[in-house]
């Protein structure tokens, strides 16, 4: 079997001269994509616990009507920090962690195109996050919600420095995100092993490629809005204050022009993860490789044409609303294509119920619930009733948790052996799975009803209307079950790192190049890469007689 | 003034399922329609998932099944089936939108409601009535509401009436509503507007046109001089301290606009935008320390003696 | 890489321009533009900035042809043109500030200073970078062709000029139409 040489970055890989035993300093100064990936992942675990504890306090307050556990000031800071943390410092770093770790491995490269820039991106995210949290010590965290509407975010209405920290924290991490994405694009396009054509790239890499373009196009809008807000707050400009001639609606346009693509930014890579997980645990190739890429692109393009669905109640007029309703509903179609493709991937397969796969299967149902409630919110009249209620809170958690978080957990159980060289405990993992799924549905299913029964979101207290008390109590219980589950997860990870069973090179009989390395990979990923003749190079290598490329043409049949 | 309703007898609701206007009925019909379709889709996905996972589960760790990687016909089905549903619901929703939100043309609003942090002000154009928090509307007429904000973005939402709409500083927004029958309808500010967003609740008292007109006439009357001495002392404090610079009481020189109009405060069921019942005890607590009752509210704490608070309370409760 | 960076920068300016256009419909905005902005002088400075794109392009060509002396000359020329443009913008700012038009005076001031300020900042950064490569060129770092640095800087510099083309049209020319 002929092995193939790989393209190296223009400069020699800096980390290769670093020796292994420099402790913490070695991590801080590292430019190795695997170490940076791991640091991203730890960062997101830390913030998951932080964001989770914040919302547990919130749920405690909401457990019963007219509760006095938290005062409104603290409450508002907590849910704002929860939303901001979960999106920018849990979902994003986790996704970037997996990508930074895996993309070079999956395309047969030894590092990212710009290793130093890669480190820079990580540290920007890191400091952005800690700057945001520093606000707790500096006179109050931001308290105007994660989308921080004007003019409530202006100095007259929020004079504590929280919002200034929000701006600077997100600007810093935003710069990191943008540079990381540029880095991914160059890495994916330029540093693939020579024999891997675009049509043979793992879907995970494809989704990240699409996603990187999405990020490059979406984040500047947020950055511009944040800069304008800082100018307003610090230098008394008038962008968003109606009193000075500015416009409160402008903030919403700029924010959602970023914000809507952002929610797809945290789901597309997840679609990539599932597109690796389903085939491996079903022992079948992905169903409709091309359709998954195509629908990913469709989602990315449509993502820029739907932002007004967050603003249906602002009175923009029927024509505008109808246009954005149409585009929002259309986006359900490429997503549906993916759901059915994954179902078809499992169909006829030999399914193995590993924890990773269980999260993937559960995802199909949970995400469909979230997607359908999204479509209902895209129907303008329904949104006129339900926007800014707990119904929307339910929607975002079904897509964020049932989608993003399930995907991250699935990816964690799938790739942990590769990353750490240890196996996660499958038995405890299944406990974690069931606890989390039950807690999750307990917490959020009832919130659909609460919204329809008239409960607005972001309220620190509520009157004892019929049914509200009991449903909120159920929801709180669910939140705490999830907390137990997350605690268990942290235990599972630490246990595996300390005493876990050693992982083989290829524990799941997988298809892609990262599994050809040792577990964990050496500091230099590859010396040679196996030949790539299709989208499943490692399987072709393991089963040369049955290789995909030998039987092209036959595969477009279904039994 | 004769009470035209009794709070205890009329149950108040705040749910989209209790539609009380043609607008809300249209929306709930669409919602039920979508609920059925969505349940169908969800059921399909659940059945497929469960069937496939059970049917194709495997205990062995070695055998590979047939390697199938696609089917164009099936893919087309996957696209066209949701497409049909999307088109149907899109047109249904267009229809509903046009019915709920027709062109305003040059129609003048029947009532102007302004959101403040954290209370509501209602002005009845053409009438001499300004009120706060408890808003009266006539049934059976197609009303045009104008919604404004005095500070940050608020949102007017009474689920039984249908659509909600944001109140945006510097912008006029409008909403049509036809209330089917008399009753008390509750709602809530539905856009996060700061510390007391939770206690910016809406209470609409819908009355038959006859009762409504009675109410309007009664509320156009200015406040007279209080009769008993306690209240009279309260009035003196009210006018003498800064109360009058924030609150209006028509018929006196108290004409502040920073706080709710108190001309007929005593006739309202609740106070502080639905936070609590309007009774002397609550008023007492509020005046003793507003920041303890409603933290963040834009009313400062005054250092009053117990007597002064009692006198003020007496004055306020008789402002019917 | 540089193309991707320029791409996101383009989106950033798009957002700022959108804000400017959005506000330009508010009452009194246009009269502010007509009254306070000196289209003639700025027009001249703009031509200088556009010429600097040409001079940088000459620098790139000469570099690829290995003509190091010419390279140094055109780089210096670019710096001079860009510098004069910045001075021109400074002059405009001073006259506006003297007329009490500033970031917080009105929505016109807010959107004008933000948009042109961010553009100016990009010109300034570009000048620093060009100054560095000029110094390197004089130090002999570019005596051999084959480095992509000059081309990358070129893409950035042309981009900054193109942005100004849009900004100038929207801020200065459109109100006269
Ligand atoms: C991962 C994040 C994520 C994802 C994937 C989505 C997906 C979708 N979202 Fe969601 N959304 C958010 C995160 C996300 N959303 C967040 C965070 C908010 C609130 C922000 C805030 O206010 O704080 C929000 C808010 C939000 C609103 C505004 C609600 C409001 O504030 O009033 C709307 C309205 O249109 C909407 C619509 C949609 C739609 C149509 C999809 C679609 O992409 C869903 C597509 C998926 C499916 C439809 C299911 C699978 C498909 C099938 C099984 C095929 C059959 C389907 C059909 C026939 C339709 N979303
Ligand atoms: C990826 C995104 C994400 C995730 C994962 C979550 C996770 C959770 N969210 Fe989140 N949520 C948002 C994104 C997310 N949320 C957003 C964007 C908003 C809107 C914010 C806004 O309005 O501005 C929101 C708002 C929001 C609200 C509405 C608040 C309001 O409007 O007033 C609620 C209420 O129930 C809620 C609940 C929860 C719960 C119970 C979880 C749980 O799943 C959390 C589970 C995790 C834990 C509980 C971790 C705790 C762990 C431990 C305690 C372990 C012990 C420690 C060790 C072992 C060291 N969320
Ligand atoms: Cu007013 Cu929320
Ligand atoms: Cu959206």
């Amino acid at each position: 079997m002929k092995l193939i040489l790989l393209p190296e970055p223009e400069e020699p890989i800096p980390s290769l001269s670093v020796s292994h035993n420099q402790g913490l300093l070695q991590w801080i100064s590292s430019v190795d994509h695997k170490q940076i990936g791991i640091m991203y992942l730890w960062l997101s675990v830390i913030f998951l616990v932080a964001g989770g504890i914040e919302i547990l306090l919130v749920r405690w307050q909401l457990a019963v009507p007219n509760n006095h556990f938290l005062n409104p000031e603290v409450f508002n800071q907590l849910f704002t920090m929860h939303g901001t943390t979960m999106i920018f410092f849990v979902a994003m770093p986790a996704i970037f962690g997996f990508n930074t770790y895996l993309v070079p491995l999956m395309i047969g490269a030894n590092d990212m195109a710009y290793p130093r820039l890669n480190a820079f991106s990580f540290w920007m995210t890191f400091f952005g996050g800690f700057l945001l949290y520093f606000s707790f010590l500096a006179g109050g965290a931001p308290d105007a919600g994660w989308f921080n509407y004007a003019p409530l975010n202006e100095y007259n209405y929020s004079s504590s420095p929280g919002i200034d920290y929000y701006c600077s924290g997100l600007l810093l991490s935003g710069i990191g995100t943008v540079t990381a994405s540029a880095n991914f694009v160059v890495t994916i396009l330029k540093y693939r092993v020579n024999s891997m054509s675009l049509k043979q790239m793992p879907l995970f890499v494809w989704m990240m490629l699409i996603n990187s373009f999405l990020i490059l196009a979406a984040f500047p809008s947020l950055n511009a809005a944040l800069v304008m807000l800082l100018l307003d707050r610090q230098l008394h400009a008038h962008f968003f204050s109606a009193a000075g001639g500015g416009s409160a609606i402008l903030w919403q346009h700029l924010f959602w022009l970023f914000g809507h693509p952002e929610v797809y930014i945290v789901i597309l890579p997840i679609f990539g993860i599932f597109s690796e997980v389903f085939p491996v645990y079903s022992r079948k190739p992905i169903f409709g490789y091309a359709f998954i890429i195509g629908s990913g692109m469709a989602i990315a393009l449509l993502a820029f044409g739907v932002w007004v669905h967050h603003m249906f109640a602002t009175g923009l007029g029927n024509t505008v609303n109808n246009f954005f309703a149409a585009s929002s509903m259309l986006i359900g179609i490429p997503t549906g294509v993916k759901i059915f493709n994954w179902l078809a991937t499992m169909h006829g397969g030999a399914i193995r119920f590993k924890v990773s796969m269980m999260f993937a299967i559960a995802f199909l149902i949970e995400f469909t619930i979230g997607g359908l409630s999204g479509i209902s919110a895209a129907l303008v009249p329904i949104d006129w009733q339900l926007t800014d209620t707990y119904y929307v809170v339910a929607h975002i958690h079904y897509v964020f948790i049932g989608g993003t978080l399930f995907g991250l957990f699935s990816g964690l159980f799938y790739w942990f052996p590769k990353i750490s060289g240890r196996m996660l405990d499958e038995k405890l993992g299944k406990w974690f799975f069931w606890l989390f799924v039950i807690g999750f549905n307990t917490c959020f299913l009832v919130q659909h009803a609460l919204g329809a029964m008239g409960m607005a979101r972001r309220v620190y207290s509520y009157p004892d209307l019929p049914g509200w008390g009991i449903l909120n109590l159920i929801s709180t219980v669910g939140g705490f079950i999830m907390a137990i589950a997350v605690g268990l997860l942290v235990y599972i990870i630490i246990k595996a790192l300390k005493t876990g069973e050693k992982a083989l090179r290829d524990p799941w009989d997988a298809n892609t190049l990262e599994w050809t390395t040792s577990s964990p990979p050496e500091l230099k990923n590859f010396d040679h890469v196996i030949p790539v003749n299709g989208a499943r190079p490692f399987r072709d290598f393991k089963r040369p007689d049955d290789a995909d490329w030998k039987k092209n043409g036959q595969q477009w049949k279904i039994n | 003034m004769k009470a035209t309703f009794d709070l205890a007898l009329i149950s108040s609701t705040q749910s989209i399922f209790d539609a009380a206007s043609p607008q809300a009925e249209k929306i709930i019909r669409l919602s039920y329609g979508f609920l059925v379709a969505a349940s169908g889709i969800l059921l399909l996905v659940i059945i497929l998932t469960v069937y496939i996972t059970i049917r194709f589960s495997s205990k062995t760790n070695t055998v590979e099944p047939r390697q199938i990687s696609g089917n164009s016909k099936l893919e087309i089905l996957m696209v066209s089936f949701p497409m049909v549903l999307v088109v149907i619901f899109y047109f249904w929703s267009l229809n509903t939108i046009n019915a709920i939100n027709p062109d305003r043309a040059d129609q003048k609003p029947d009532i102007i409601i302004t959101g403040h942090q954290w209370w509501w002000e209602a002005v009845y154009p053409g009438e001499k009535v300004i009120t706060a928090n408890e808003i009266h509307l006539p049934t059976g007429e197609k009303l045009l509401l104008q919604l404004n904000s005095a500070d940050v973005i608020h949102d007017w939402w009474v689920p039984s009436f249908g659509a909600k709409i944001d109140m945006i500083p510097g912008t006029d927004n409008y909403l049509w509503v036809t209330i089917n029958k008399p009753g008390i309808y509750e709602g809530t500010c539905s856009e996060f507007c700061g510390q007391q967003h939770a206690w910016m609740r809406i209470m609409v008292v819908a009355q038959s046109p006859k009762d409504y007109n009675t109410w309007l006439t009664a509320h156009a009357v200015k406040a007279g001089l209080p009769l008993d001495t306690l209240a009279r002392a309260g009035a003196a404090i009210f006018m003498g301290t800064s109360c009058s610079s924030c609150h209006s009481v028509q018929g006196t020189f108290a004409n502040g606009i920073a706080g709710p109009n108190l001309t007929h405060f005593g006739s309202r069921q609740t106070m502080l935008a639905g936070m609590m019942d309007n009774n002397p005890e609550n008023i007492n607590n509020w005046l003793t320390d507003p920041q303890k009752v409603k933290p963040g509210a834009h009313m400062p704490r005054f250092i009053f003696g117990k007597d002064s608070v009692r006198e003020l309370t007496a004055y306020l409760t008789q402002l019917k | 890489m540089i193309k991707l960076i320029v791409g996101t920068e383009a989106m950033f300016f798009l957002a700022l321009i959108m804000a400017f256009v959005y506000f330009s419909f508010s009452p009194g905005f246009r009269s502010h533009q007509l009254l306070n902005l000196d289209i003639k002088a700025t027009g001249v400075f703009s031509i200088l900035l556009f010429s600097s794109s040409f001079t940088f392009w000459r620098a790139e060509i000469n570099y690829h042809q290995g003509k190091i002396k010419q390279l140094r000359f055109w780089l210096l020329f670019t710096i001079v043109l860009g510098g004069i443009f910045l001075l021109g913008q400074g002059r405009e700012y001073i006259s506006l500030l003297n007329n009490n038009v500033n970031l917080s005076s009105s929505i016109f001031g807010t959107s004008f200073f933000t948009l042109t300020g961010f553009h100016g900042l990009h010109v300034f950064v570009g000048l620093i970078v060009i100054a560095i490569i000029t110094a390197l060129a004089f130090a002999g770092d570019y005596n051999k062709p084959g480095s992509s640095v000059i081309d990358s800087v070129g893409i950035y510099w042309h981009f900054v000029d193109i942005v100004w083309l849009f900004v100038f049209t929207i801020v200065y020319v459109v109100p006269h139409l």
Side-chain angles (χ1 to χ4, degrees), chain C residues 107-127:
Chain C
I107 193 64
F108 167 74
T110 294
S111 43
F112 173 83
F113 280 107
T114 307
L115 180 54
T116 58
F118 267 98
H119 178 265
L121 198 66
H122 280 74
V123 175
F124 186 65
V125 170
L127 285 179

Side-chain angles (χ1 to χ4, degrees), chain A residues 283 384-385 453 536 555, chain B residues 14 61 64 67 69 164:
Chain A
R283 294 186 182 285
W384 279 343
Q385 278 282 24
M453 287 158 68
R536 298 195 289 170
Q555 48 181 319
Chain B
Q14 183 178 329
N61 240 348
E64 253 194 354
Q67 301 294 298
S69 65
K164 60 163 67 76

Side-chain angles (χ1 to χ4, degrees), chain A residues 30 43 130 133 171 179 218 344 346-347 351 381 435 439 446 538 551 553:
Chain A
S30 175
L43 187 72
F130 282 93
Y133 269 77
L171 269 173
T179 49
M346 288 197 296
H347 187 274
I351 299 171
L435 267 178
V446 292
F538 194 27
K551 43 172 194 177

Side-chain angles (χ1 to χ4, degrees), chain A residues 68 86 91 129 167 207 210 225 229 248 254 259 273 290 292 316 322 325 376 384 417 420 492 499 503 505 522:
Chain A
H68 290 288
M86 287 297 190
C167 293
M207 289 303 139
I210 298 171
L229 181 58
L254 289 173
I273 292 178
I292 289 190
L316 289 177
N322 285 334
S376 73
W384 279 343
S420 69
I492 294 175
T499 59
R505 171 180 297 255
E522 297 292 318

Side-chain angles (χ1 to χ4, degrees), chain A residues 260 263 306 309-310:
Chain A
H260 186 83
V263 306
V306 301
H309 69 210
H310 298 273

Side-chain angles (χ1 to χ4, degrees), chain A residues 286-345:
Chain A
I286 187 83
F287 188 91
Y289 178 86
F291 281 87
I292 289 190
I293 297 170
S295 56
M297 289 176 176
I299 290 174
L301 289 176
L302 278 172
F304 287 100
V306 301
W307 81 89
V308 168
H309 69 210
H310 298 273
M311 302 163 63
F312 282 154
T314 55
L316 289 177
N318 291 351
T319 322
V320 177
N321 286 350
N322 285 334
F323 174 83
F324 284 93
S327 55
S328 305
M329 291 168 75
L330 283 179
I331 216 165
I333 291 170
T335 316
V337 166
K338 286 183 199 273
I339 300 270
F340 291 124
N341 274 315
W342 290 316
L343 279 170
T345 304

Side-chain angles (χ1 to χ4, degrees), chain A residues 101-122:
Chain A
Y101 195 100
L102 292 165
V103 163
L105 281 165
M106 288 177 116
I107 61 175
N110 275 337
D111 207 323
M112 299 283 285
Y114 305 98
R116 285 193 191 85
L117 187 67
N118 195 20
F120 169 82
S121 303
F122 168 76

